[in-house]
Amino acid sequence: MIISRSTLGFALLATMPEVISTSIPPYSEPTDFDPIAALAVRGISVEELPDTSPHIITASYKNCTAAVSKLASIYSNQVTLLGAPDYDPWRAEFWSKYQESAKPACIFRPKTSGDVAVAVLISRWSSCPFAVKSGGHAAMKGASSSDGGVTIDLVNLNGVDLSEDKKIARLGSGNTWYKVYTTLEKEGLAAVGGRAADIGVGGFTLGGGISFFASIYGWGCDNVANYEVITATGEILQVNYQSFPDLYWALRGGGANFGIVTRFDVETFEQGDIFAGGLAYNYTAHGPAVINAFSKFASNPDPKAATWLVVANRQGTDLLSTLTMYREPNPEAPVFRDYREIPALSNSTKIRTLADMTEQIRSTNPKGLREMYWTHTFKFSKDFITWFAKMFFDELRPVQEKYQGHLPSPVFQIITKDCLARMSRNGGNALPLKEEEAPYMNLIYSCMWQNEADDGAVIGLIAKVMGKAVEEGKGRGIFVDYVYMNYGSEYQDVLGSYGQENFGRLKGIAKKYDPRGLFQLLMPGYFKFSGAPKKEGPGVINV
Ligand SMILES: Cc1cc2nc3c(=O)[nH]c(=O)nc-3n(C[C@H](O)[C@H](O)[C@H](O)COP(=O)(O)OP(=O)(O)OC[C@H]3O[C@@H](n4cnc5c(N)ncnc54)[C@H](O)[C@@H]3O)c2cc1C
Ligand SMILES: *[C@@H]1O[C@H](CO)[C@@H](O)[C@H](O)[C@H]1NC(C)=O
Ligand SMILES: *[C@@H]1O[C@H](CO)[C@@H](O)[C@H](O)[C@H]1NC(C)=O
Ligand SMILES: *[C@@H]1O[C@H](CO)[C@@H](O)[C@H](O)[C@H]1NC(C)=O
């Protein structure tokens, strides 16, 4: 049985003009809300557990035994218990070793939104914490697998269904973008999604979502017409700009703080083959020319194009490598002329499908390694990029051979004015970016390495390089205090960086839809209102 508060139809969305809602609909959790009664409505009977109160939310791993046995009794073939034959192979599927290291009391694979609602209510009843996994690409431990609690793996929520007019694709939140792209390409369509094949629809879209199409369509979160959300009381809401505009705004960049999204109904667009691939250049020989070519995007972007710039050393050569993507099968796009004129060490650009491009990016970001992302935002500055590349290579040189499998890859991406303009439709999103300050650049320090013994040193280097970048950015007056969630490290306070106003508004919305803080207390992984997931810094090593 599905309890649905909003009946605002899906069919309505695709054709509905942009109506500005004047009143925010009421929503409240009954003060005496009782998960035992709510489970009973769904035909599930549970007893009150000793030392727990159905009216208070507390997290305790002690009663996970109760939660697990209840889930297993209702959904035997959707639950994997700790120690079962498929338990370790499942953990090994995480992209990052940090996530693999978490050992959930059980893995639960819901098949319907109702199953997700039951899992939320069982957690609330038993006080057993949980985590939610979509693509599992968050790098930090506990983000999408609970150490000791229940991990809800959305993998079976994998529908990709087009509306009749094909303008909306309803995406189950356990999909990877590869599955979405390969399904939509049969119709000559695409959607605003991730650039690596195995990124999940869930995490990508909740944090913002930078795609190849950002300059035309904005970020992933700006292209969701409707979210299906399971609330802290196990209700199933259809959340869109008309039905719940406050929650709709919060879900656009506010992360996993308001509910579990079971379906994202995203806008589609027509898309055929693209011209895309990577180009690697010798930094020593061509550094300034490559940085010039990249920087032209900031002042004169072609909305059909996308690019990023990676600063890296491979086999002893300092490199600048770029990704170029043109959304038409055109190898001669003028916007990339400057890149074409610089001799490249390697060149994988070609006419291909979007899905094929994301598969190449996946293959260069293999799973099973120690991984960290760390990010900051700046107003665009070519000189800063030049400064950063030199500083980074200077810091890296003495240690680059020291740690096994050490592949640090800082990446610059431009957030164009066109992108910002697109973010503001339908009430805007929760991110603190302003059109008049654009273009911005995002700097993400992405890094993989092999051995746990090197964690301190590698993370210390990341912290040191990013600390210097922040200091330099502040000195140049270009530092922007916005930490992009999808690239944030566990040492960073993402929501705190959204600015007082947005942070306060987000907290207020969470208080309305989840007044007792279930998604803070019982789903504690990843970026919450309480600040950085890890409160202690990694320290800075002597290099
Ligand atoms: C190789 C690689 C390439 C990337 N490329 C891009 C890119 O092109 N653009 C970009 O913006 N980012 C990119 N990222 C970052 C990526 O978007 C984030 O890591 C994102 O969190 C991954 O989403 P996921 O669903 O795979 O991860 P998960 O680890 O499954 O989810 C991340 C967080 O979101 C929560 N969550 C997920 N789904 C739901 C849901 N349905 N309801 C509630 N909470 C949920 C999880 O609990 C978890 O805390 C990339 C990352 C990697 C490793
Ligand atoms: C739940 O935890 C309490 C202690 O916190 C314990 O007394 C009780 O036996 C547990 N119940 C179950 C069913 O595990
Ligand atoms: C890169 O350029 C430098 C300077 O021109 C040159 O010495 C070096 O051999 C080049 N490296 C490669 C891999 O081509
Ligand atoms: C890379 O290859 C494509 C064709 O595959 C070509 O059009 C382009 O000029 C090449 N670029 C560089 C920089 O060599």
Side-chain angles (χ1 to χ4, degrees):
M1 183 178 57
I2 287 174
I3 307 165
S4 181
R5 180 184 289 253
S6 164
T7 51
L8 235 195
F10 164 81
L12 209 55
L13 287 166
T15 49
M16 193 110 127
E18 295 191 5
V19 183
I20 310 293
S21 260
T22 46
S23 66
I24 304 238
Y27 178 97
S28 61
E29 181 177 299
T31 46
D32 60 348
F33 177 78
D34 180 356
I36 296 175
L39 281 165
V41 171
R42 290 179 175 276
I44 294 164
S45 107
V46 291
E47 306 282 313
E48 189 166 331
L49 293 175
D51 293 345
T52 63
S53 158
H55 304 301
I56 315 172
I57 291 181
T58 46
S60 159
Y61 289 89
K62 275 185 283 181
N63 282 117
C64 285
T65 330
V68 170
S69 58
K70 198 72 219 175
L71 279 171
S73 75
I74 312 167
Y75 301 103
S76 61
N77 59 2
Q78 290 165 249
V79 172
T80 298
L81 300 174
L82 192 152
D86 53 340
Y87 180 87
D88 282 335
W90 175 89
R91 286 167 62 231
E93 284 301 309
F94 277 99
W95 178 65
S96 149
K97 273 280 176 207
Y98 288 110
Q99 288 251 58
E100 182 183 340
S101 69
K103 289 193 173 143
C106 81
I107 302 145
F108 173 51
R109 297 177 187 82
K111 286 185 178 152
T112 65
S113 307
D115 293 351
V116 176
V118 168
V120 168
L121 291 170
I122 285 182
S123 165
R124 191 166 180 159
W125 155 70
S126 63
S127 305
C128 175
F130 65 95
V132 172
K133 174 181 187 266
S134 173
H137 263 63
M140 68 196 74
K141 186 176 182 180
S144 37
S145 189
S146 174
D147 200 16
V150 172
T151 296
I152 303 173
D153 183 351
L154 303 173
V155 63
N156 290 331
L157 301 182
N158 59 5
V160 178
D161 302 309
L162 278 174
S163 63
E164 211 162 308
D165 64 5
K166 301 191 178 172
K167 288 192 169 145
I168 299 281
R170 307 166 114 185
L171 309 179
S173 55
N175 276 298
T176 63
W177 285 106
Y178 188 78
K179 161 91 181 299
V180 174
Y181 295 147
T182 48
T183 307
L184 294 182
E185 80 189 13
K186 292 176 192 137
E187 304 279 344
L189 299 171
V192 175
R195 294 165 298 183
D198 51 356
I199 303 291
V201 166
F204 171 89
T205 313
L206 285 169
I210 306 181
S211 81
F212 288 131
F213 308 100
S215 286
I216 293 195
Y217 300 115
W219 284 6
C221 68
D222 304 315
N223 291 275
V224 182
N226 182 71
Y227 298 84
E228 183 178 86
V229 180
I230 311 304
T231 68
T233 57
E235 266 192 87
I236 302 172
L237 299 185
Q238 302 300 326
V239 179
N240 52 66
Y241 189 39
Q242 284 77 34
S243 65
F244 296 99
D246 53 352
L247 184 54
Y248 177 71
W249 174 84
L251 288 167
R252 288 174 64 181
N257 288 291
F258 309 92
I260 302 178
V261 179
T262 44
R263 206 184 69 229
F264 296 83
D265 302 338
V266 305
E267 294 177 6
T268 60
F269 50 85
E270 284 176 22
Q271 184 60 53
D273 281 355
I274 60 176
F275 181 78
L279 292 162
Y281 297 101
N282 184 338
Y283 166 78
T284 316
H286 304 295
V290 176
I291 292 172
N292 255 331
F294 176 72
S295 298
K296 280 201 175 173
F297 266 78
S299 48
N300 193 20
D302 179 337
K304 289 182 178 166
T307 184
W308 70 49
L309 182 73
V310 183
V311 187
N313 182 288
R314 299 287 184 266
Q315 281 103 40
T317 302
D318 287 346
L319 299 174
L320 291 178
S321 48
T322 70
L323 179 116
T324 62
M325 177 317 293
Y326 201 72
R327 71 178 294 196
E328 288 166 8
N330 175 11
E332 306 293 330
V335 66
F336 294 129
R337 185 177 298 128
D338 289 7
Y339 279 141
R340 286 194 295 272
E341 282 170 0
I342 310 165
L345 293 172
S346 71
N347 178 357
S348 66
T349 59
K350 59 179 179 185
I351 294 170
R352 44 167 55 175
T353 63
L354 175 60
D356 182 57
M357 184 67 245
T358 66
E359 177 50 27
Q360 183 185 333
I361 295 172
R362 184 205 60 74
S363 71
T364 55
N365 291 276
K367 64 183 175 206
L369 293 164
R370 310 190 79 72
E371 302 279 358
M372 178 161 268
Y373 275 9
W374 192 306
T375 188
H376 286 291
T377 311
F378 304 86
K379 288 186 202 170
F380 185 81
S381 160
K382 187 177 104 175
D383 292 345
F384 179 87
I385 298 173
T386 305
W387 169 85
F388 179 87
K390 181 175 184 313
M391 180 273 287
F392 170 71
F393 288 131
D394 288 347
E395 291 291 343
L396 182 63
R397 207 159 291 122
V399 294
Q400 60 198 11
E401 302 299 325
K402 233 170 137 177
Y403 318 120
Q404 204 181 342
H406 184 211
L407 290 179
S409 308
V411 185
F412 284 98
Q413 298 185 70
I414 298 166
I415 307 172
T416 62
K417 263 196 193 312
D418 289 340
C419 174
L420 265 293
R422 184 72 181 185
M423 284 184 176
S424 63
R425 36 180 224 141
N426 289 342
N429 62 34
L431 310 174
L433 301 171
K434 297 185 187 76
E435 194 177 343
E436 61 275 15
E437 281 189 5
Y440 295 100
M441 55 187 181
N442 174 274
L443 169 60
I444 170 183
Y445 190 134
S446 100
C447 189
M448 37 188 143
W449 68 101
Q450 200 97 40
N451 297 325
E452 185 173 357
D454 296 329
D455 282 10
V458 171
I459 296 170
L461 178 65
I462 300 172
K464 183 178 181 193
V465 167
M466 291 307 267
K468 283 191 159 191
V470 168
E471 203 181 310
E472 182 73 14
K474 284 182 175 166
R476 291 171 185 256
I478 58 166
F479 176 74
V480 176
D481 184 18
Y482 163 53
V483 177
Y484 175 38
M485 183 179 288
N486 290 5
Y487 297 164
S489 80
E490 58 197 335
Y491 301 105
Q492 297 186 280
D493 177 8
V494 166
L495 294 173
S497 81
Y498 285 19
Q500 252 184 357
E501 192 190 326
N502 289 10
F503 183 76
R505 200 171 152 195
L506 285 169
K507 266 190 111 162
I509 293 164
K511 189 105 195 132
K512 173 176 163 187
Y513 290 91
D514 179 17
R516 291 178 183 77
L518 181 139
F519 293 106
Q520 304 301 309
L521 298 165
L522 288 176
M523 188 185 173
Y526 212 51
F527 299 107
K528 300 286 153 174
F529 292 112
S530 55
K534 265 197 180 170
K535 310 293 180 207
E536 274 164 48
V540 173
I541 52 146
N542 296 319
V543 285

